Amino acid sequence: MPRRLTIGVLGAGSIGCFVAARLLAADIADVVLVGRPRIRDEIAAHGLTASDFDSEPLHIEPSNVSVATKLSVLSDCDAVLVCVKSLHTEDVATELADVLRPDAVVVSFQNGVRNADTLRRHLRTQTVIASIVGFNVVSKGEGVFHRGMSGDLILEKHHRAEALVEALRAADLDVRSVNNLKPDQWTKLLVNLNNAVSALSGAPTRELLLSPGYRRIVSAIMAEALEVLRAAGIKPARLRGVPVGIMPKVLRLPTPMVRLVTRAQMRVDPEARSSMWEDLSRRRPTEVEFLNGEIVRLAETVGVAAPVNSRIVELVRKAEQANAGPPDIDAASLMERLGIN
């Protein structure tokens, strides 16, 4: 029988708590979470629950969940899932270097394309692996974390991560391992460009898909990003078997056709929302610089323009500075502000 792993979850937010709950419910590993005092207190009062769009909720009693606020509790972990926001990666990497065992496996469960490289610069002896979380999780309060979208986990293939992959699969998570994750990371970033539209509009993911106005905005953002990637010689992976390059055209189809296409690609329930919307709602800094901002930086590097993504970054920054939650901009007004005809 394989040795029982000790798995740490650093940055126990929506994704981290959902995955931790799955692991704990399967009793497949010892799990320790590191998160904000708010999360610690919430779980201490209510326990930890993972709900899903297609299965019964899994509830873990408070006494069976270990939540700390200091990274030092990760010192004995075999594997650590880094789930902090991208803007905190550099800071936690510096701290982890003084805490983790030399043989620990560290997996970046984060958005963006550069977090694993940032971790590797500081964690010289540990094995650092990039990954993609292909589903969305929303914090509903009282220790409940709800997955509202289908999708899998994709990890870079590494022999030292095999035990972790098996533990995640035993927790009833769909996991794939690939040799080269970069094309998939760029595809995930392209998909995540819509997070800012959700944050600025307040619209759930399903509404973004079914509203012609919001789809037109997402189409323009994605089409511009694809042009930037072409100029940079970057070829993104297929999205669930479909060339990602056709997605802007798909988004401009009539709503009934979009509904048919999206049903074949993924399941999205009415509660699915972007993490950027949640950040604005909780008055926290967002990851826009590591999503739409990544496209803007790449555009500057290769000498092309990315005006729509630049304006998206400006609008999200303005919403952060206002500190009043999502600005709830309707589709017509947002198109006007972005210069989309």
Side-chain angles (χ1 to χ4, degrees), residues 224-261:
E224 180 180 271
L226 282 163
E227 287 300 320
V228 173
L229 264 60
R230 289 189 192 100
I234 296 171
K235 185 176 180 180
R238 287 175 171 252
L239 176 63
R240 295 179 170 92
V242 177
V244 72
I246 71 169
M247 292 310 297
K249 293 180 180 178
V250 170
L251 290 169
R252 287 179 175 266
L253 293 173
T255 297
M257 295 183 68
V258 172
R259 185 182 285 112
L260 287 174
V261 172

Coordinates of all heavy atoms in Angstrom, one line a residue, residues 224-261:
E224 N -8.0 39.8 -29.8 CA -6.8 40.7 -29.7 C -5.7 39.9 -29.1 O -4.5 40.0 -29.6 CB -7.2 41.9 -28.8 CG -6.0 42.9 -28.6 CD -6.4 44.0 -27.8 OE1 -6.9 45.1 -28.4 OE2 -6.2 44.0 -26.5
A225 N -6.0 39.1 -28.0 CA -4.9 38.3 -27.4 C -4.3 37.3 -28.3 O -3.1 37.1 -28.3 CB -5.5 37.7 -26.1
L226 N -5.2 36.7 -29.1 CA -4.7 35.7 -30.1 C -3.8 36.3 -31.1 O -2.8 35.7 -31.5 CB -5.9 35.0 -30.8 CG -6.6 34.0 -30.0 CD1 -8.0 33.7 -30.6 CD2 -5.8 32.7 -29.9
E227 N -4.1 37.5 -31.5 CA -3.2 38.2 -32.4 C -1.8 38.5 -31.8 O -0.8 38.4 -32.4 CB -3.8 39.6 -32.9 CG -5.0 39.4 -33.9 CD -4.5 38.7 -35.2 OE1 -3.4 39.0 -35.7 OE2 -5.3 37.8 -35.6
V228 N -1.8 38.9 -30.5 CA -0.6 39.1 -29.8 C 0.2 37.8 -29.7 O 1.4 37.8 -29.9 CB -0.9 39.7 -28.4 CG1 0.4 39.7 -27.6 CG2 -1.5 41.0 -28.5
L229 N -0.4 36.7 -29.4 CA 0.3 35.4 -29.3 C 0.8 35.0 -30.7 O 2.0 34.5 -30.7 CB -0.7 34.3 -28.8 CG -0.6 34.0 -27.3 CD1 -1.0 35.3 -26.5 CD2 -1.6 32.9 -26.9
R230 N 0.1 35.2 -31.7 CA 0.6 34.9 -33.1 C 1.9 35.7 -33.3 O 2.9 35.2 -33.9 CB -0.4 35.2 -34.1 CG -1.6 34.3 -34.1 CD -2.5 34.5 -35.3 NE -3.7 33.7 -35.2 CZ -4.9 34.2 -34.8 NH1 -5.0 35.5 -34.6 NH2 -6.0 33.5 -34.7
A231 N 1.8 37.0 -33.0 CA 3.0 37.9 -33.2 C 4.2 37.4 -32.4 O 5.4 37.6 -32.8 CB 2.7 39.3 -32.9
A232 N 3.9 36.8 -31.3 CA 5.0 36.3 -30.4 C 5.4 34.9 -30.7 O 6.3 34.3 -30.1 CB 4.6 36.4 -28.9
G233 N 4.8 34.3 -31.7 CA 5.1 32.9 -32.1 C 4.7 31.8 -31.1 O 5.2 30.8 -31.0
I234 N 3.6 32.2 -30.3 CA 3.1 31.2 -29.3 C 1.9 30.5 -29.8 O 0.9 31.2 -30.3 CB 2.8 32.0 -28.0 CG1 4.1 32.6 -27.4 CG2 2.1 31.1 -27.0 CD1 3.8 33.5 -26.2
K235 N 1.9 29.2 -29.8 CA 0.8 28.4 -30.2 C 0.1 27.8 -29.0 O 0.6 26.9 -28.4 CB 1.2 27.4 -31.2 CG 0.1 26.6 -31.8 CD 0.5 25.6 -32.9 CE -0.7 24.9 -33.5 NZ -0.2 23.9 -34.5
P236 N -1.1 28.3 -28.7 CA -1.8 27.7 -27.5 C -2.4 26.3 -27.9 O -2.6 26.0 -29.0 CB -3.0 28.7 -27.3 CG -3.2 29.4 -28.6 CD -1.8 29.4 -29.3
A237 N -2.7 25.6 -26.8 CA -3.2 24.2 -27.0 C -4.7 24.3 -27.4 O -5.4 25.4 -27.2 CB -3.1 23.4 -25.7
R238 N -5.3 23.2 -27.8 CA -6.7 23.1 -28.0 C -7.5 23.2 -26.7 O -6.9 22.8 -25.7 CB -7.1 21.8 -28.7 CG -6.6 21.8 -30.2 CD -6.9 20.4 -30.8 NE -6.7 20.5 -32.3 CZ -7.6 20.4 -33.2 NH1 -8.9 20.3 -32.8 NH2 -7.4 20.5 -34.5
L239 N -8.7 23.8 -26.8 CA -9.5 23.9 -25.6 C -10.6 22.8 -25.7 O -11.5 22.8 -26.5 CB -10.2 25.2 -25.6 CG -11.2 25.5 -24.4 CD1 -10.5 25.4 -23.1 CD2 -11.9 26.8 -24.6
R240 N -10.4 21.7 -24.8 CA -11.3 20.6 -24.9 C -11.5 20.0 -26.3 O -12.6 19.7 -26.7 CB -12.6 20.9 -24.2 CG -12.5 21.3 -22.7 CD -13.9 21.7 -22.2 NE -13.9 21.8 -20.7 CZ -13.6 22.9 -20.1 NH1 -13.4 24.0 -20.7 NH2 -13.7 22.9 -18.8
G241 N -10.4 19.9 -27.0 CA -10.4 19.4 -28.3 C -10.6 20.3 -29.4 O -10.5 20.0 -30.6
V242 N -11.0 21.6 -29.1 CA -11.4 22.6 -30.1 C -10.3 23.6 -30.3 O -9.7 24.1 -29.3 CB -12.7 23.3 -29.7 CG1 -13.0 24.4 -30.7 CG2 -13.8 22.3 -29.6
P243 N -9.9 24.0 -31.5 CA -8.8 25.0 -31.7 C -9.3 26.3 -31.0 O -10.4 26.8 -31.3 CB -8.7 25.1 -33.2 CG -9.2 23.9 -33.8 CD -10.3 23.4 -32.8
V244 N -8.5 26.8 -30.1 CA -8.9 28.0 -29.4 C -9.0 29.2 -30.3 O -9.8 30.2 -30.0 CB -7.9 28.3 -28.2 CG1 -6.6 28.8 -28.7 CG2 -8.5 29.2 -27.2
G245 N -8.4 29.2 -31.4 CA -8.4 30.3 -32.4 C -9.8 30.6 -32.9 O -10.1 31.7 -33.4
I246 N -10.7 29.6 -32.9 CA -12.0 29.8 -33.5 C -13.0 30.3 -32.4 O -14.1 30.7 -32.7 CB -12.6 28.5 -34.1 CG1 -13.0 27.5 -33.0 CG2 -11.7 27.9 -35.1 CD1 -13.8 26.3 -33.5
M247 N -12.6 30.4 -31.1 CA -13.5 30.8 -30.1 C -14.1 32.2 -30.2 O -15.3 32.4 -30.0 CB -12.8 30.7 -28.7 CG -12.5 29.2 -28.3 SD -14.0 28.1 -28.5 CE -15.1 28.9 -27.3
P248 N -13.3 33.2 -30.7 CA -13.9 34.5 -30.9 C -15.1 34.5 -31.9 O -16.1 35.1 -31.7 CB -12.8 35.4 -31.4 CG -11.5 34.8 -30.8 CD -11.8 33.3 -30.8
K249 N -14.9 33.7 -32.9 CA -16.0 33.5 -33.9 C -17.2 32.8 -33.3 O -18.4 33.2 -33.5 CB -15.5 32.8 -35.2 CG -14.5 33.5 -36.0 CD -14.0 32.8 -37.2 CE -13.0 33.5 -38.0 NZ -12.5 32.8 -39.2
V250 N -16.9 31.8 -32.5 CA -18.0 31.0 -31.9 C -18.8 31.9 -31.0 O -20.1 31.9 -30.9 CB -17.5 29.8 -31.1 CG1 -18.5 29.2 -30.2 CG2 -16.9 28.8 -32.0
L251 N -18.1 32.8 -30.2 CA -18.8 33.7 -29.3 C -19.7 34.7 -30.0 O -20.6 35.3 -29.4 CB -17.8 34.4 -28.4 CG -17.0 33.6 -27.4 CD1 -15.8 34.3 -26.8 CD2 -17.9 33.1 -26.3
R252 N -19.5 34.9 -31.3 CA -20.3 35.9 -32.0 C -21.5 35.2 -32.7 O -22.3 35.9 -33.4 CB -19.4 36.6 -33.0 CG -18.5 37.7 -32.4 CD -17.6 38.4 -33.4 NE -16.8 39.4 -32.8 CZ -17.2 40.7 -32.8 NH1 -18.4 41.1 -33.3 NH2 -16.4 41.6 -32.2
L253 N -21.6 33.9 -32.6 CA -22.8 33.2 -33.1 C -24.0 33.5 -32.4 O -24.0 34.0 -31.2 CB -22.5 31.7 -33.1 CG -21.4 31.1 -33.9 CD1 -21.2 29.6 -33.6 CD2 -21.7 31.3 -35.4
P254 N -25.2 33.3 -33.0 CA -26.5 33.5 -32.2 C -26.5 32.7 -30.9 O -25.9 31.6 -30.9 CB -27.5 33.0 -33.2 CG -26.9 33.1 -34.6 CD -25.4 32.9 -34.3
T255 N -27.2 33.2 -29.9 CA -27.2 32.6 -28.6 C -27.6 31.1 -28.6 O -26.9 30.3 -27.9 CB -28.1 33.4 -27.7 OG1 -27.6 34.7 -27.5 CG2 -28.2 32.7 -26.3
P256 N -28.6 30.7 -29.4 CA -29.0 29.2 -29.4 C -27.8 28.3 -29.8 O -27.6 27.2 -29.3 CB -30.1 29.1 -30.3 CG -30.8 30.5 -30.3 CD -29.6 31.4 -30.1
M257 N -27.0 28.8 -30.8 CA -25.9 28.0 -31.3 C -24.8 28.0 -30.2 O -24.1 27.0 -30.0 CB -25.4 28.6 -32.6 CG -26.4 28.5 -33.7 SD -25.7 29.0 -35.3 CE -24.5 27.8 -35.6
V258 N -24.5 29.1 -29.6 CA -23.5 29.2 -28.5 C -23.9 28.3 -27.4 O -23.1 27.6 -26.8 CB -23.4 30.6 -28.0 CG1 -22.5 30.7 -26.8 CG2 -22.8 31.5 -29.1
R259 N -25.2 28.2 -27.0 CA -25.7 27.3 -26.0 C -25.4 25.9 -26.3 O -24.9 25.1 -25.5 CB -27.2 27.5 -25.8 CG -27.7 26.7 -24.6 CD -29.2 26.9 -24.4 NE -29.5 28.2 -23.8 CZ -30.2 29.2 -24.4 NH1 -30.5 29.0 -25.7 NH2 -30.4 30.3 -23.8
L260 N -25.6 25.5 -27.6 CA -25.3 24.1 -28.0 C -23.8 23.8 -27.9 O -23.4 22.7 -27.4 CB -25.8 23.9 -29.4 CG -27.3 23.8 -29.6 CD1 -27.7 23.7 -31.1 CD2 -27.9 22.5 -28.9
V261 N -23.0 24.7 -28.4 CA -21.5 24.5 -28.4 C -21.0 24.4 -26.9 O -20.2 23.5 -26.6 CB -20.8 25.7 -29.1 CG1 -19.3 25.6 -28.9 CG2 -21.2 25.6 -30.6

